[in-house]
Amino acid sequence: MNHYAYENDAPSLCETFSSYFRVGAAVNTWILDSDKNTEKENALIKHQFNVFTLENESKPVYVHPEKDRYDFSKFDRFVRFGQETGTKLRGHTLLWHGQCPDWFFYDDNGNEVSSEILIERLREHVTTIVSRYKGKISTWDVCNEVIKDDGSGMRESKWYKIGGKEVIKEAYRAAHKADPGARLILNDYGLENGDKKTDAIIAFVREMASEGVHIDGIGLQMHLNLFETDMDSLKKNVGRILTLRDDIPGFRLEVTELDMSCYRWNDKSEDIIWTDELEERFICQYSTLFRYFMELSEQDLLDTVVFWGIGDRYSWLNGFPRKHKNFPLLIDRDLKFKDAFYKIAELADRH
Ligand code: GLA
């Protein structure tokens, strides 16, 4: 009989892997207080996870919606939760093309700003946020998704079009100055299977390191799926990223947004019917993955694995890229552990 993950006597994901890495989840602030509507979810996060990312409410559109107005209410609540529970917190994210307000890019007359002004605005944004949480947020996804999907260069975002690579590098400089003790990450998706994209991110991080721009590691989002994620290719590409150890002392990986969609990326069919065969596949993919994570941790290369959501019911994949019931996580819609959890827990026991 599988456990409800919120029960006191249920096994705990973060305890299971405590000698390897922290296990975490993306959460939103509604879950951080326990009232009659959130009691189970609140108990679950406290029991299961020891590192957290704020799923949406720390993104620029919420925190810095207007040039002269910050709104730290949600972010402050998140940080208080980390202090109350003694858990590790990740800051996500300071520069991204998504969920970013337009004011960064235009002046009062609606004209595009110069690269100097954009860099100045960015510097102020990063310095204000990172200084406020100095010593409280241990890792920042400073920049998110700055490389083009086909690896042919930097993503043509508004940030890049106006400020070039310099705007991205400046984000790292300002973050490091504001909190020299924070780990600074460049976060992206698809690095496990996109050979060219992986080459491009390696080259960019190497360039930063050679210019003395402080960066500690790469965040592998790992939005995987049951059919298209090839574990051999994943290991090969992660192995290539790890050559950055030669350029950056103490280089680290963090798994930042893990989930395993049950649809191919472009699948537009009806809701999937869960079968034993899919269950087997799910168990097999997660087992291979966690075995690999444990190996990376044994080599001191990975200390943080964060799921993008606490359980299937709350996954973004139920609404994106289409409205489909999805089953990507180890905890199901009723907040019960799936069999896959017990299988990966056995791996940790055996070591
Ligand atoms: C990307 C972003 C996250 C989140 C997910 C989907 O991976 O980095 O912040 O928006 O997409 O929810």
Side-chain angles (χ1 to χ4, degrees):
M1 182 58 180
N2 295 5
H3 299 84
Y4 288 98
Y6 52 80
E7 286 173 340
N8 264 337
D9 61 352
S12 154
L13 267 164
C14 61
E15 273 167 31
T16 303
F17 291 99
S18 61
S19 46
Y20 296 94
F21 38 75
R22 286 178 182 262
V23 183
V27 293
N28 292 302
T29 45
W30 66 265
I31 218 172
L32 304 180
D33 292 302
S34 180
D35 61 29
K36 66 179 185 346
N37 298 317
T38 59
E39 213 174 1
K40 289 179 179 163
E41 288 83 353
N42 185 266
L44 184 153
I45 60 169
K46 289 179 179 157
H47 189 42
Q48 296 300 334
F49 304 115
N50 56 8
V51 47
F52 293 97
T53 304
L54 203 49
E55 183 171 359
N56 282 304
E57 295 156 318
S58 56
K59 291 174 179 167
V61 74
Y62 295 104
V63 170
H64 199 175
E66 293 169 49
K67 187 163 172 290
D68 298 316
R69 186 166 72 84
Y70 284 91
D71 178 354
F72 287 118
S73 51
K74 300 285 171 59
F75 210 162
D76 282 356
R77 174 67 194 105
F78 177 66
V79 169
R80 226 171 46 245
F81 175 82
Q83 293 176 312
E84 285 158 12
T85 52
T87 46
K88 183 178 144 173
L89 303 179
R90 309 187 72 266
H92 177 79
T93 171
L94 297 161
L95 181 155
W96 188 29
H97 62 277
Q99 294 176 280
C100 176
D102 255 2
W103 68 258
F104 275 105
F105 312 112
Y106 298 97
D107 65 17
D108 292 344
N109 302 319
N111 298 318
E112 223 168 64
V113 294
S114 63
S115 69
E116 289 78 17
I117 290 183
L118 183 65
I119 288 175
E120 188 45 48
R121 288 180 175 183
L122 184 263
R123 197 184 293 131
E124 192 274 332
H125 168 79
V126 172
T127 306
T128 304
I129 300 174
V130 177
S131 310
R132 184 180 182 92
Y133 300 119
K134 184 175 177 188
K136 297 173 181 158
I137 296 282
S138 49
T139 298
W140 282 99
D141 293 329
V142 177
C143 296
N144 198 25
E145 304 175 350
V146 297
I147 303 291
K148 261 191 193 163
D149 285 349
D150 65 6
S152 63
M154 307 304 286
R155 179 188 292 274
E156 304 274 339
S157 68
K158 217 72 192 139
W159 288 109
Y160 179 69
K161 281 192 186 149
I162 301 175
K165 285 181 186 173
E166 199 46 33
V167 78
I168 298 161
K169 293 174 185 170
E170 190 56 27
Y172 286 84
R173 290 192 198 102
H176 186 55
K177 197 162 167 210
D179 186 355
R183 181 185 287 177
L184 305 186
I185 293 286
L186 175 58
N187 194 43
D188 215 323
Y189 63 85
L191 301 175
E192 60 283 342
N193 49 23
D195 289 352
K196 293 223 172 83
K197 185 170 181 179
T198 307
D199 284 339
I201 203 164
I202 294 171
F204 181 60
V205 170
R206 192 161 278 151
E207 179 180 318
M208 288 210 285
S210 74
E211 292 171 7
V213 179
H214 187 99
I215 176 161
D216 296 290
I218 288 193
L220 304 163
Q221 293 186 1
M222 292 216 172
H223 293 297
L224 310 179
N225 81 53
L226 275 189
F227 305 99
E228 288 160 318
T229 301
D230 177 84
M231 290 296 167
D232 291 333
S233 149
L234 181 148
K235 290 181 193 176
K236 187 188 93 193
N237 281 304
V238 172
R240 289 191 314 121
I241 292 173
L242 289 173
T243 59
L244 284 168
R245 265 183 299 179
D246 301 337
D247 305 78
I248 301 174
F251 177 85
R252 291 291 183 133
L253 296 172
E254 293 201 9
V255 174
T256 55
E257 306 186 16
L258 177 61
D259 46 30
M260 181 82 67
S261 173
C262 302
Y263 299 87
R264 285 183 173 79
W265 185 247
N266 280 322
D267 188 347
K268 302 269 188 310
S269 59
E270 300 297 299
D271 272 351
I272 213 160
I273 312 253
W274 197 250
T275 59
D276 288 350
E277 198 192 328
L278 282 183
E279 179 83 29
E280 270 314 301
R281 219 182 166 101
F282 188 82
I283 292 174
C284 178
Q285 292 278 69
Y286 261 113
S287 303
T288 311
L289 198 61
F290 270 72
R291 206 175 293 118
Y292 184 51
F293 290 166
M294 287 157 65
E295 280 167 35
L296 291 173
S297 130
E298 281 166 344
Q299 297 165 58
D300 210 15
L301 297 167
L302 175 75
D303 59 8
T304 304
V305 174
V306 176
F307 289 93
W308 205 247
I310 66 161
D312 287 351
R313 194 196 304 175
Y314 298 106
S315 167
W316 70 298
L317 290 168
N318 295 305
F320 187 85
R322 69 202 83 76
K323 277 214 172 326
H324 267 155
K325 240 188 197 171
N326 214 321
F327 307 87
L329 298 164
L330 294 174
I331 296 173
D332 73 11
R333 288 196 143 56
D334 299 324
L335 305 180
K336 238 183 193 172
F337 274 126
K338 298 182 186 173
D339 290 348
F341 163 74
Y342 298 92
K343 294 285 182 204
I344 62 166
E346 275 173 25
L347 299 174
D349 281 350
R350 247 184 267 140
H351 265 63

